[in-house]
Amino acid sequence: MDYDVLILGGGIVGCSIAYELSKYSLNVSIIEKELDIGNDVSELNASLTFDGMEINNDLNYYMEYYGNKNMKDITKSFNVPFKKLKSIIFEEDFIGNNNLIEKMYTRSIRRGIKGIQKISNHNLKFGLQAKVNVEFNKAIISKNWGVVSPYDLAIAYGEIAFDNGVNFRLGEKVIEIKKVSKGFKVTTTKNKFTCKFVINTIPDDDYKLGNKVKENISKNNNMKCFLINKKFKIKDIFVVLGENDEDIFIYPNFNGDTIAYVITKDEISYEDAFEKLKDKLPGINCDYINNSYSTQFFNDRIMIDDSKVSKGYIKIDGKNYGIVTMSQFIANTIRKMVIENIPSKPKKDFYEKRREVYRFRDMTNEERNRLISLNPKYGKMVCLCNKVTEGEIIDSIRRPLGARTIDGIRKRTGAMNGDCYGSYCMSKIISILANETNKDITEILEKSAGSNIIMSRIKQFKEI
Ligand SMILES: Cc1cc2nc3c(=O)[nH]c(=O)nc-3n(C[C@H](O)[C@H](O)[C@H](O)COP(=O)(O)OP(=O)(O)OC[C@H]3O[C@@H](n4cnc5c(N)ncnc54)[C@H](O)[C@@H]3O)c2cc1C
């Protein structure tokens, strides 16, 4: 057998499983079709973490509860940005109101979730600072939600797994999985592998191996995301539950900007989504928007399908808005299932610590000077908006599982995510990446294969 375990898909779920399995004497590989891990996590540097209050399904509640309980410790040990924030969830006052707040509150009491408070319109006026304009009767406050940098978390899992021997096969697409006598044969666009155990985290695709008739009731709404610049400031997480499941989420990220999601059943234009947002945040206008993009809001039930575990196959089924919080539970559960089925021992030399990450923007002047004296490249500012230095860009490329694309550098360092969105620094970053990887600048990719940024050199300039 080539491997004990093959993990298919290098999203946050695949990486967290790789991290858990790397603690054991197992030969593990992860296969990811893209050139980097953690591709699907939000581009906007902060994902919400939940406490299970808002979710209907009891198993998924427990997944969130577990992740929420452990998020502070794991992010601290990985040096990943995370902060707990107060969240205020309003239900708009509309005809046919579903009494969601009441249901959420009753559910939270039944589940024993602490730190929850129900308030009325009256309490809010007297108690809380609010910048939102919502007609509501009841709201709920939770002290347990937070924001985490999702790709830092995915990359931290990946880096530690890599340092502890997990093999990452990036840029290989799985095209077939076949059951063979003592395990599985997995075919990719580049190779064929045999393994004892397959963990499939690729959403939807089970390559005809699972026996699942999709139980998930997909309620995938459309989502318009806006990155609002520092002219508008918000301290807490605000959620407005509107008519027809049309919800709005507003929360701060780690750069002092604000993230807003407008979720609607039908696809709507950016203009219409912005109008809906403006209705709730009367203080903003178009000049405040730095970036916007469109995606889907997934609300599937997440299931660990272990019906074929005795044969060596587990499938993670579904896509959900809360999976970043749930990933720790999923990874722990799968680790237990794997070690029950493949005899293995905890590694004595498992190395838990992640290599130091220096974030110039978060350092004191004293710390900055010390770092520059050790490596002068930390004294050269490349991204002026987000204060990212050349030293950080180079480190993001040289680290274990380092960035090989511009998007990988953006995710790891925050460069090109500021007010100018890379118009000032991207060309410098392309040159650094080309230099570090010994490539020509025309070979440098934005993200996936074929996404070259510079098409050709204007050689004629020399002759003019
Ligand atoms: C804008 C936005 C905001 C979000 N906000 C939040 C939030 O606030 N809180 C939260 O918890 N979640 C949030 N999410 C959702 C969360 O980030 C995603 O659900 C999560 O990243 C999914 O992780 P995953 O590992 O399950 O799946 P994926 O990340 O989709 O991982 C699957 C991987 O498999 C790879 N793959 C697919 N096919 C193949 C193949 N044939 N061969 C090899 N590899 C393959 C894919 O490239 C992918 O990397 C948000 C998502 C977006 C886009």
Side-chain angles (χ1 to χ4, degrees):
M1 289 278 157
D2 296 316
Y3 294 104
D4 292 320
V5 184
L6 269 179
I7 302 168
L8 313 184
I12 192 160
V13 172
C15 289
S16 58
I17 296 169
Y19 161 76
E20 283 299 330
L21 294 183
S22 72
K23 296 175 181 171
Y24 283 78
S25 57
L26 294 165
N27 186 7
V28 180
S29 180
I30 192 162
I31 304 179
E32 165 55 52
K33 74 174 165 53
E34 298 294 340
L35 300 169
D36 204 353
I37 53 173
N39 281 295
D40 191 43
V41 288
S42 164
E43 295 273 320
L44 299 174
N45 115 352
S47 276
L48 290 170
T49 57
F50 303 93
D51 57 2
M53 162 183 88
E54 83 304 337
I55 207 156
N56 215 349
N57 176 275
D58 277 338
L59 175 61
N60 284 183
Y61 142 70
Y62 191 74
M63 290 183 179
E64 282 194 351
Y65 169 81
Y66 182 94
N68 190 280
K69 201 167 63 133
N70 295 302
M71 192 60 81
K72 193 170 165 200
D73 288 346
I74 200 135
T75 50
K76 194 170 168 211
S77 79
F78 291 172
N79 191 13
V80 164
F82 167 69
K83 58 183 172 193
K84 277 210 162 178
L85 293 176
K86 182 167 71 191
S87 59
I88 310 167
I89 298 129
F90 304 95
E91 185 172 23
E92 266 192 307
D93 205 6
F94 54 85
I95 300 165
N97 184 322
N98 227 342
N99 241 334
L100 287 173
I101 295 292
E102 208 53 58
K103 285 182 190 161
M104 223 181 255
Y105 187 71
T106 315
R107 200 161 58 206
S108 305
I109 300 295
R110 174 171 61 81
R111 288 172 176 168
I113 304 174
K114 301 224 161 50
I116 309 276
Q117 189 196 347
K118 195 170 59 171
I119 55 161
S120 69
N121 194 342
H122 178 78
N123 300 130
L124 189 78
K125 275 187 189 143
F126 287 96
L128 291 160
Q129 150 269 11
K131 285 186 174 183
V132 284
N133 169 36
V134 194
E135 287 291 320
F136 76 102
N137 282 322
K138 283 180 191 151
I140 199 164
I141 298 180
S142 169
K143 290 185 187 157
N144 312 316
W145 288 24
V147 282
V148 67
S149 174
Y151 41 80
D152 270 319
L153 185 57
I155 285 163
Y157 281 132
E159 283 183 0
I160 298 176
F162 179 88
D163 274 345
N164 286 285
V166 172
N167 174 274
F168 281 75
R169 312 200 70 98
L170 302 177
E172 282 193 42
K173 186 173 175 182
V174 175
I175 48 177
E176 192 181 47
I177 313 172
K178 261 194 176 159
K179 180 85 191 84
V180 289
S181 63
K182 281 186 184 148
F184 290 87
K185 187 163 145 197
V186 174
T187 309
T188 73
T189 39
K190 294 183 181 164
N191 290 293
K192 282 188 168 84
F193 304 105
T194 49
C195 65
K196 293 179 191 156
F197 220 99
V198 169
I199 298 161
N200 185 357
T201 78
I202 299 171
D204 302 328
D205 213 338
D206 68 0
Y207 300 88
K208 300 190 181 66
L209 277 177
N211 55 356
K212 187 155 299 303
V213 181
K214 209 168 164 38
E215 275 179 39
N216 276 317
I217 317 128
S218 270
K219 213 177 106 215
N220 303 334
N221 288 343
N222 295 289
M223 180 154 112
K224 291 276 184 290
C225 314
F226 295 95
L227 182 63
I228 304 170
N229 63 30
K230 296 175 184 64
K231 288 181 197 155
F232 180 87
K233 282 235 179 281
I234 206 156
K235 243 177 41 198
D236 305 318
I237 301 166
F238 288 102
V239 180
V240 183
L241 305 174
E243 207 168 347
N244 292 328
D245 288 340
E246 298 207 342
D247 305 333
I248 294 183
F249 286 70
I250 306 156
Y251 60 95
N253 74 2
F254 292 100
N255 301 340
D257 302 320
T258 299
I259 293 174
Y261 300 145
V262 178
I263 298 160
T264 52
K265 269 203 161 141
D266 300 317
E267 182 76 59
I268 59 169
S269 65
Y270 281 106
E271 288 76 16
D272 289 347
F274 184 67
E275 281 309 311
K276 283 179 188 282
L277 181 64
K278 213 174 146 204
D279 183 50
K280 303 292 172 276
L281 297 179
I284 62 163
N285 64 54
C286 286
D287 296 342
Y288 288 20
I289 306 297
N290 267 6
N291 194 10
S292 55
Y293 69 99
S294 189
T295 180
Q296 278 196 298
F297 181 82
F298 291 98
N299 195 8
D300 294 338
R301 189 182 311 152
I302 296 293
M303 280 179 288
I304 302 172
D305 178 4
D306 60 354
S307 55
K308 289 186 183 304
V309 69
S310 58
K311 293 188 176 135
Y313 182 80
I314 304 175
K315 168 88 179 102
I316 317 301
D317 198 34
K319 284 190 121 192
N320 187 284
Y321 64 86
I323 203 121
V324 173
T325 319
M326 296 177 195
S327 58
Q328 288 181 36
F329 176 88
I330 297 171
N332 268 307
T333 307
I334 287 184
R335 171 182 38 81
K336 286 181 201 151
M337 288 176 177
V338 171
I339 59 174
E340 264 169 30
N341 284 279
I342 309 180
S344 54
K345 288 198 176 106
K347 276 182 195 156
K348 285 204 179 96
D349 57 353
F350 176 71
Y351 191 63
E352 174 87 51
K353 200 159 161 40
R354 190 182 174 207
R355 214 173 85 178
E356 201 70 56
V357 181
Y358 298 106
R359 290 192 186 88
F360 196 80
R361 59 183 172 277
D362 298 334
M363 296 167 92
T364 63
N365 278 345
E366 206 179 304
E367 288 166 337
R368 287 171 176 167
N369 286 334
R370 208 175 312 131
L371 188 60
I372 294 167
S373 70
L374 291 173
N375 181 350
K377 293 214 154 75
Y378 282 93
K380 284 191 193 163
M381 195 60 74
V382 175
C383 167
L384 297 182
C385 304
N386 279 349
K387 296 194 179 58
V388 183
T389 63
E390 187 178 347
E392 288 162 273
I393 308 278
I394 292 176
D395 179 61
S396 76
I397 302 164
R398 291 188 188 170
R399 294 181 72 75
L401 219 55
R404 289 293 174 272
T405 61
I406 291 300
D407 191 61
I409 296 177
R410 178 187 287 129
K411 284 180 168 171
R412 283 168 179 78
T413 64
M416 302 168 283
N417 260 349
D419 286 357
C420 86
Y421 218 65
S423 60
Y424 172 78
C425 58
M426 192 189 281
S427 57
K428 287 186 193 167
I429 295 173
I430 291 174
S431 300
I432 298 171
L433 181 57
N435 196 28
E436 285 292 316
T437 52
N438 209 11
K439 285 185 173 159
D440 189 87
I441 52 170
T442 55
E443 294 173 84
I444 297 301
L445 302 173
E446 166 70 25
K447 194 170 179 175
S448 308
S451 63
N452 304 58
I453 302 167
I454 297 175
M455 290 308 164
S456 57
R457 289 174 185 271
I458 309 176
K459 290 183 183 154
Q460 291 91 328
F461 272 4
K462 275 190 181 164
E463 283 124 48
I464 292 172

